[in-house]
Amino acid sequence: MKKRRLTAAVLAGTMVVGLLTACTDSSKVSSTSTESTSDSSKTESTDTGAGIADFKIDASQIPQEKLDTTLYVACSIRGLENPYIATIADGMDMFCEYLDSIGQKYEKQVLDSGGSNDVEIDNMKQFAAKAGGNAIAYADPNESAIAPSLAEAMAESGGYLGTAWNKPDDVGPQDYDPNWVIHTSADNVANGKATAEALFDSMGGKGKIFVIEGMLGNTASNSRVEGLEKALEEYPDIEVAHQDTGNWATNEALTLVETWLNDTPDVGGIWCANDNMATGALQALDAKGLKGKVGVTGIDANPDIVEGVKDGSVIATVSSNGYLQGGYTLAVCYAVWTGLITTEELPENYRTFLTPAIMITKDTVDDYVTEYVDSIPEYDFSDIWYCKADK
């Protein structure tokens, strides 16, 4: 298959993406690099990873008994109405096409939590119990705190889970070995900082902004806001006029901006932690005749926001590539389920790591649309580590 890879870029330059290490604070994303806890652990991970990096699934080595066993495949998400999240489910479908190509028997399922922690945990428990150990799943924990509960649900039945975006700082895949296989994330700090810098530059480095955060207790939102705060330190003439959570929702962001515009009509830009909320901000601006006059940024590369970058109403967004995240997380879990690799073989930076992303601005949007909107990327899921940002 032809493979298309997202490259990490900030404006016209390259975004420096660092690895997460799976020590106690493994979910913290660095905008430069993350260091291992000691020089010796770095050497050990490097030596072990050298062989693992070249691993590919060889279908001829999968026992026929495994191929004939019904494998239950799922992605646990919160709402297909979000275009980015929908691409994660699409990534599962793409991976299942790969399973078809090698003769693997399977059933697939979308576990939609609707944004409820309890529903997400219960969904995973029921799915894992039904599969009786023959299960692999991608999960985006609704909040960091429930990631261990999802891993525990899978561990109880002997299935294999890969998570993305959210988990507690002091818990990771090794704590539920071998059933919690990997945890991944795009570099949220770097992405939050990059979109903020693009917004501030479009404002001439001064003026008032609105800040719309995502869900409280959500690692991705918190880290993106951390990136924003780093950018604010470098732009002393930017003033945060209002800041609140929009809970990832378009309607909540719309309400916030409508309210804030009443006392701050001279706002110069709006920074949003995701594209759904950027859509709400644009709607509020449009109602006041300010769309295209007040810059907006988001993250997720939703179709309407990408169009906004093209028409100039949006300054920047970031694609985290849900196709890649969903499909390759399942591919790694599949390799473990088949027995072709074991979690014991995987060094720390192959259990918790960053996935690639691309910054979309007026300078890069046409190329992005050509490669990722007008056509669907194709991937070789046998090359399971293709999803690592440093691959």
Side-chain angles (χ1 to χ4, degrees):
M1 285 185 177
K2 181 180 178 183
K3 298 190 295 185
R4 296 178 182 167
R5 184 169 180 77
L6 288 174
T7 54
V10 177
L11 301 177
T14 302
M15 181 183 297
V16 181
V17 180
L19 288 177
L20 291 170
T21 56
C23 50
T24 56
D25 61 343
S26 57
S27 71
K28 295 179 181 177
V29 182
S30 168
S31 60
T32 53
S33 65
T34 305
E35 298 180 358
S36 299
T37 55
S38 67
D39 290 339
S40 61
S41 66
K42 288 180 184 178
T43 302
E44 182 180 351
S45 291
T46 300
D47 293 343
T48 308
I52 289 295
D54 296 327
F55 173 84
K56 291 187 178 182
I57 295 173
D58 181 350
S60 69
Q61 298 301 308
I62 300 174
Q64 189 62 44
E65 181 182 0
K66 283 286 189 180
L67 294 173
D68 292 339
T69 298
T70 298
L71 173 66
Y72 291 86
V73 182
C75 62
S76 176
I77 53 178
R78 56 179 176 278
L80 291 171
E81 67 277 0
N82 181 315
Y84 158 68
I85 290 178
T87 64
I88 295 172
D90 290 340
M92 177 182 69
D93 291 341
M94 294 163 70
F95 171 71
C96 286
E97 290 176 4
Y98 166 73
L99 293 182
D100 285 329
S101 74
I102 63 173
Q104 175 65 58
K105 188 177 179 181
Y106 68 88
E107 292 184 12
K108 64 181 179 180
Q109 184 176 359
V110 173
L111 307 176
D112 189 346
S113 71
S116 165
N117 292 347
D118 291 339
V119 170
E120 185 167 19
I121 294 169
D122 188 57
N123 283 347
M124 188 62 68
K125 286 180 177 179
Q126 292 187 40
F127 168 76
K130 174 181 67 175
N134 296 311
I136 59 174
Y138 165 99
D140 175 1
N142 197 49
E143 293 182 10
S144 300
I146 72 168
S149 297
L150 297 175
E152 184 176 347
M154 189 63 85
E156 287 178 353
S157 70
Y160 298 95
L161 176 71
T163 56
W165 296 115
N166 303 301
K167 74 172 189 63
D169 291 346
D170 58 350
V171 182
Q174 287 90 335
D175 296 307
Y176 292 85
D177 210 20
N179 306 97
W180 189 354
V181 181
I182 59 171
H183 178 79
T184 69
S185 176
D187 193 332
N188 287 301
V189 176
N191 293 342
K193 186 173 187 286
T195 55
E197 290 173 339
L199 180 64
F200 301 165
D201 287 341
S202 75
M203 297 167 58
K206 60 183 179 180
K208 299 175 183 178
I209 65 166
F210 297 157
V211 173
I212 308 179
E213 303 179 26
M215 186 177 294
L216 297 178
N218 183 283
T219 302
S221 177
N222 294 344
S223 296
R224 290 170 188 175
V225 173
E226 181 183 344
L228 164 71
E229 291 169 348
K230 288 179 180 293
L232 285 168
E233 292 174 2
E234 299 173 10
Y235 289 77
D237 294 327
I238 295 292
E239 174 191 349
V240 177
H242 288 285
Q243 181 169 347
D244 204 346
T245 175
N247 289 310
W248 301 130
T250 296
N251 61 334
E252 293 192 36
L254 168 63
T255 300
L256 287 176
V257 176
E258 285 177 335
T259 301
W260 294 341
L261 284 173
N262 289 329
D263 63 23
T264 315
D266 58 340
V267 64
I270 304 176
W271 182 94
C272 302
N274 83 340
D275 280 356
N276 274 13
M277 297 187 299
T279 295
L282 287 170
Q283 291 173 354
L285 291 173
D286 193 29
K288 293 288 188 179
L290 295 173
K291 183 178 178 181
K293 299 177 183 178
V294 176
V296 175
T297 63
I299 292 177
D300 280 344
N302 288 357
D304 65 316
I305 299 302
V306 173
E307 281 298 315
V309 175
K310 291 188 71 172
D311 67 29
S313 59
V314 175
I315 302 301
T317 185
V318 176
S319 170
S320 301
N321 194 351
Y323 301 117
L324 178 144
Q325 289 176 314
Y328 278 94
T329 295
L330 292 168
V332 176
C333 292
Y334 179 67
V336 175
W337 176 77
T338 60
L340 297 182
I341 59 172
T342 67
T343 55
E344 293 178 353
E345 299 174 67
L346 304 180
E348 292 179 348
N349 62 342
Y350 279 74
R351 302 295 297 276
T352 305
F353 56 87
L354 297 177
T355 53
I358 187 170
M359 181 84 162
I360 304 169
T361 68
K362 64 180 180 181
D363 297 322
T364 62
V365 65
D366 288 338
D367 289 341
Y368 175 82
V369 169
T370 297
E371 197 159 359
Y372 297 101
V373 178
D374 292 343
S375 59
I376 297 175
E378 298 179 4
Y379 298 108
D380 174 8
F381 289 111
S382 69
D383 186 6
I384 64 172
W385 302 120
Y386 182 74
C387 60
K388 289 184 95 259
D390 64 333
K391 171 75 169 177

